[in-house]
Amino acid sequence: MVTLLEVIIVIAVAWGLAARSASTWAWSGVIGAYLLVWPSLHGISAWALTPVWLVFIPVAAVLGLPVLRRRVVSLPVLKLFKKLMPSVSDTEREALEAGSTWWEADLFSGSPDWRKLLDYDKPELNADEKAFIDGPVNELCRMIDDWKITEDLHDLPEPVWDFLKQQCFFGMIIPKRYGGLEFTAYGHSSVVMKIASRSITAAVTTMVPNSLGPAQLLLHYGTEEQKNYYLPRLASGEEIPCFALTGPEAGSDAAAMPDHGVVCRQIFNGEKTLGIRLNWEKRYITLGPVATVLGLAFKLYDPDHLISEQEERGITLALIPTDTPGIDIGNRHFPLNQAFMNGPNRGKDVFIPMDWIIGGQARIGEGWRMLMESLADGRSISLPALSTGAGKLASRASGAYAAVRKQFKTPIGKFEGISEVLGRIAGNAYAMDAARGLTTLAVDSGEKPSVASAIVKYHLTERMRRVIDDAMDIHGGRGICMGPRNYLARVYQAIPISITVEGANILTRSLIIFGQGAIRCHPYLLKEMEAAQTGNVTAFDRALFDHIKLLCSNLARASFHGLTRARFAQAPVDREEARYYRHLTRLSAAFAVTAESALLTLGGELKRKESLSGRLGDVLSLMYLASAALKRFADQGRQTADRPLLEWAVRDALYQAQQKLFEVYDNLPSRVLGRVLKWVLFPYSASYRAPDDALLQRAANVVLRWGSARERLTDGLFISDDDDDPLNQLEVALERATAAQPALSNLRNAMRNGQLEAGDPELCLIEAVSAGVIDEREAAQVRAAVAARQRVIGVDEFPGDYWKEKNSSWQRNPTHSQQAGQSTS
Ligand SMILES: Cc1cc2nc3c(=O)[nH]c(=O)nc-3n(C[C@H](O)[C@H](O)[C@H](O)COP(=O)(O)OP(=O)(O)OC[C@H]3O[C@@H](n4cnc5c(N)ncnc54)[C@H](O)[C@@H]3O)c2cc1C
C-alpha cells in the first residue's frame, strides 16, 4: 500500500526538482532510485516492476542523450511547431523583432530578480536639465495662456514660438555637438511633463520634434552629410520638422500605405538627376501645417530597374523641404479644441534626388525597420510624460479643491464618496510617475524597450483618462464651465488624442503588449521560432528543453506560492513592503504558467484571440506598474508619508491582475484547462482584495493637506506665482484654509455650546471676537480663507453676445483676439 507519507514525499521531491529546473538526468536518477527501493518498501519482488523498467529506461535514455532526443522528440515537435506558428508578414516580423527587453522580461520569466530592479539607477535630473527646467521651462510656462491659445489664437503666440526655438526646446534629443541640449530621457520627459501641466498644445508642439521623426531618424540612420546639415538647423528651430506616416487608408495598419515613389531620372536644379517621383496623401500630421521639412514614409518601386533588379523596394523614408514643387501642405485639422498644428499634406509628382532618402540609397527599403526600432524611445517618453503631468495636476488641484470647496457646511474632501475618488487619483498619479521614471531609465541605459514603452503608452494614457474623469467629478460644475479659470477642461478634451496617437490604445493592448511581449520577453520562444524557421534542430532542441524546464519550475513555484500565500517567496528587503515583493513573485510565476498554457493550447490562434491577449498584457503591465512603485518608494528613501500611495498602487495592481487572470481562465477555449489553472494557481480562489476604504482615505489625505508627500507626488508640476492664476489661487486657498483651521474649530465649538449663534458670517465673527472665542488675528485668518475660497470656486462667465461678437469681429478681422471670460462665484 502506498502510504500518505510516501505520496507527500514523492510530490515534495518532484516539486523540488521542478522548482530547481533539474536536468533530465537528475529526474531520471531520482525516479530510477525510487523504482529500485519500491519493491523493498512495499514487500514485492523486484521482477514485478520489469514492465515499468522497460518503459523507463528507453524514455530516460532518449531524453538524456541529446543525439537521440533530437531525432525522436525535437524533430517531430519542430515540425508541429512550424505548423502552429502564426503566419507573420515581413512588416509584422520587423515590428516584433524591433527593440530590446528590460525589466518586463524579468516579470515575464516567472522569477523576477528584485535586486536587479533596486540596483538600477534612480531617475534623477542632471545639473543642465535642472537649470533648464527651473529657467527656460518655467519661463515658457509663465508665457503661456492656454485659454487664449486654444480659444482665440488657435496657435501658440509668436513670442512663444520664438522662445521655443531660441531656447532649443526642439533639440532636446540632439547632441551638443550639433547645437542640441542632449538631455537624458528622464530630463526630456520631465520637461514635457511640466509643460503639459500648463498647456497640452505647448507640450505636443515641444514633444513632436523630440519624438519619432526627422531628428531621431537622422541620429540613428542619417548620412554624415544629412546630420551635419539638418541637426544644427533642427536644434535651433530654423527647421520645423514633421513626420508623415498616416494616411486615409493607412491608420493603425500604417504599413498598408498606398503612398509611393518611382525611381526615375529627371531634371533637377538644371541637371539630369537620378531620383524618385513621389505621390502621397497623408493626414493627421502634427506640425505639418508649419513644417519646413517633412519626413515622409512611402513605398519605393523601381520598374525600370534603374538602381537594382528588384522592382518592389519596400518602405523607404525621406526628408523633403516643404517648399519642393508639387507639395500641398498648410491646411489644418482641428483636434478636439487643441491648437497645436496638425493637418494633412499631399504630394503630386514630387521629384526628390536620391540623397534625400534618410541614410541615402543604402537605406532603401529599410524604412519600416527604422521606424519600428526608433519607436520605443519616443513612446517611452512623450505620452507617458504628458499623462503623468495630467495625473499630478489632477491630484494637486482636486485635493486642494476638495479641501476648500464646502457643501453641507463641510469641505467636500471630508465626504467618504469624494475621498474614495481622491485616493484613487493620488494612488494612480504615484504609479504613473513611478512607471514614467522607470521606463526612462531603460532608455537612458541604451535599451529600446519596445514592450515597456507600449505598456506605459497604453496604461498611463488610460490612467490619465481615469484621473481626469475623477478630477472632473470632484470639481463638478467648476470643471465643466470653460474659460480661462478652468485648468481641467482642455486636458479632459485632449485625452482621446493621447489614446489614439503613437499606437491607438485598443490595438496596443490587444496586439502589442502581450503579442510582442510573448515573443520578445519570453526567454525561449523567439529562439524556438528562429530555430524552427531555419530548421536548426540542435538549437530548437536546446531551447525546447530549457523551455520545458522553465515551465515545470514556474508551475512548481506558482502552485507552492499559491498554496502558502507567497509566504516563502523571495523579497529583496525585510521591511513592511517585503510582502508586496513576495506577492509579485508569486503573480509573476502564475502569469508565466498561464501565458505558457495559452500559447501551448492556442498557438498562432492566440493572435486572433485579442481579448485573451489583452488581458495577459494587462497582467504583465500591472506587475510592471507595481514594481515601478516599489522601486520609487525605495529610491525615495521609504518615506512613511508616501506609504498609503505605495500601498494603493501595489494593492490595486495585485487585485486587478488577479481578476484579469480569472477572466483569462474563464475565457480559455478549454474550460477544463481554465479550471485546472485556477485551482492549481489560486487554490483559495481570490487572494487579493481591492484597496479598502481606510486605505483610500489615507491616500486621499495625502493630497487634501499640505505636506511632504503631496510635494513629492506633484513634483515637477508648474504652479504659477501669478496672483490671478487659478492654480496659484487654489494653493493660496488651501494654505489659508489650513491656517484658519484652529479658529474655525473654535467657532464651531462655540456654536455647538450655544456660546455663538449661526447667522451672518461677518456678524458672527465680530461677536466671536468680542466673546473671546477667537482673537482679531484669527478673525482675519478666517476672512482671508473665505475670500480665497470664493475666488477658487468662481467660474467664468461671458457676455450674452460674446460668441456673436466674436464671429462678427472674426469676419471683420480674422487675426483679432477676443477678451474672454470674467470670473463669477
Ligand atoms: C491629433 C493627432 C496627431 C497625429 N500625429 C501624427 C503624426 O504626426 N504623424 C503621423 O504619421 N500620424 C499621426 N497621427 C496618426 C495616428 O498615429 C493615427 O491616428 C493612429 O495610428 C490610428 O489610426 P486611425 O486614426 O486611422 O485609426 P484606425 O486605424 O482606423 O483605428 C480605429 C480603431 O481601431 C482599432 N484597431 C485597429 N486595428 C486593430 C486591431 N488589429 N485590433 C484591435 N483594434 C484595432 C484602433 O486601436 C482604434 O481604436 C496623429 C493622429 C492624431 C489624431
Side-chain angles (χ1 to χ4, degrees), residues 601 665-666 668-680:
T601 51
Y665 305 144
D666 290 343
L668 280 173
S670 162
R671 288 291 154 108
V672 177
L673 176 66
R675 279 200 202 113
V676 170
L677 283 172
K678 191 168 180 182
W679 183 75
V680 172

Side-chain angles (χ1 to χ4, degrees), residues 727-794:
L727 273 184
N728 177 304
Q729 290 174 357
L730 256 183
E731 293 293 299
V732 171
L734 180 63
E735 190 185 343
R736 293 193 183 164
T738 313
Q741 258 331 303
L744 285 168
S745 104
N746 285 348
L747 288 172
R748 260 195 310 274
N749 287 341
M751 281 179 198
R752 247 182 245 132
N753 303 337
Q755 206 181 343
L756 276 180
E757 270 187 25
D760 178 76
E762 184 52 34
L763 288 179
C764 191
L765 274 182
I766 295 168
E767 208 180 306
V769 172
S770 57
V773 174
I774 55 173
D775 59 24
E776 274 300 350
R777 190 184 56 85
E778 288 172 313
Q781 283 177 329
V782 174
R783 285 190 194 99
V786 170
R789 179 171 57 79
Q790 282 170 347
R791 284 219 295 178
V792 300
I793 62 174

Side-chain angles (χ1 to χ4, degrees), residues 140 143-144 149 153-170 201-202 204-209 235-241 286-292 332 339-342:
L140 173 74
M143 290 169 81
I144 290 171
I149 289 168
L153 303 176
H154 295 283
D155 190 3
L156 295 173
E158 209 53 45
V160 171
W161 274 108
D162 290 344
F163 189 77
L164 286 170
K165 292 174 189 174
Q166 280 155 14
Q167 297 294 331
C168 214
F169 276 82
F170 298 149
T201 294
V204 172
T205 305
T206 309
M207 75 198 198
V208 164
S236 66
E238 198 178 331
E239 300 276 4
I240 298 291
T286 304
L287 293 188
V290 293
T292 58
R332 290 180 67 179
F340 59 85
M341 290 290 156
N342 183 277

Side-chain angles (χ1 to χ4, degrees), residues 230 278 280 292-296 318-322 324 327 350 352 356:
Y230 272 118
L278 286 160
W280 75 84
T292 58
V293 58
L294 166 79
L296 186 78
L319 280 189
I320 310 175
T322 51
T324 306
I327 298 184
V350 178
I352 63 164
W356 289 8

Side-chain angles (χ1 to χ4, degrees), residues 208 242-248 250-253 283-287 335 340 342 497 500-508 510-511 610:
V208 164
C242 69
F243 192 80
L245 177 65
T246 308
S252 301
D253 186 9
R283 64 176 180 181
Y284 305 153
I285 308 307
T286 304
L287 293 188
F340 59 85
N342 183 277
I497 299 175
T500 299
V501 299
E502 291 201 3
N505 273 13
I506 298 178
L507 172 120
T508 302
S510 316
L511 283 182
E610 291 192 347

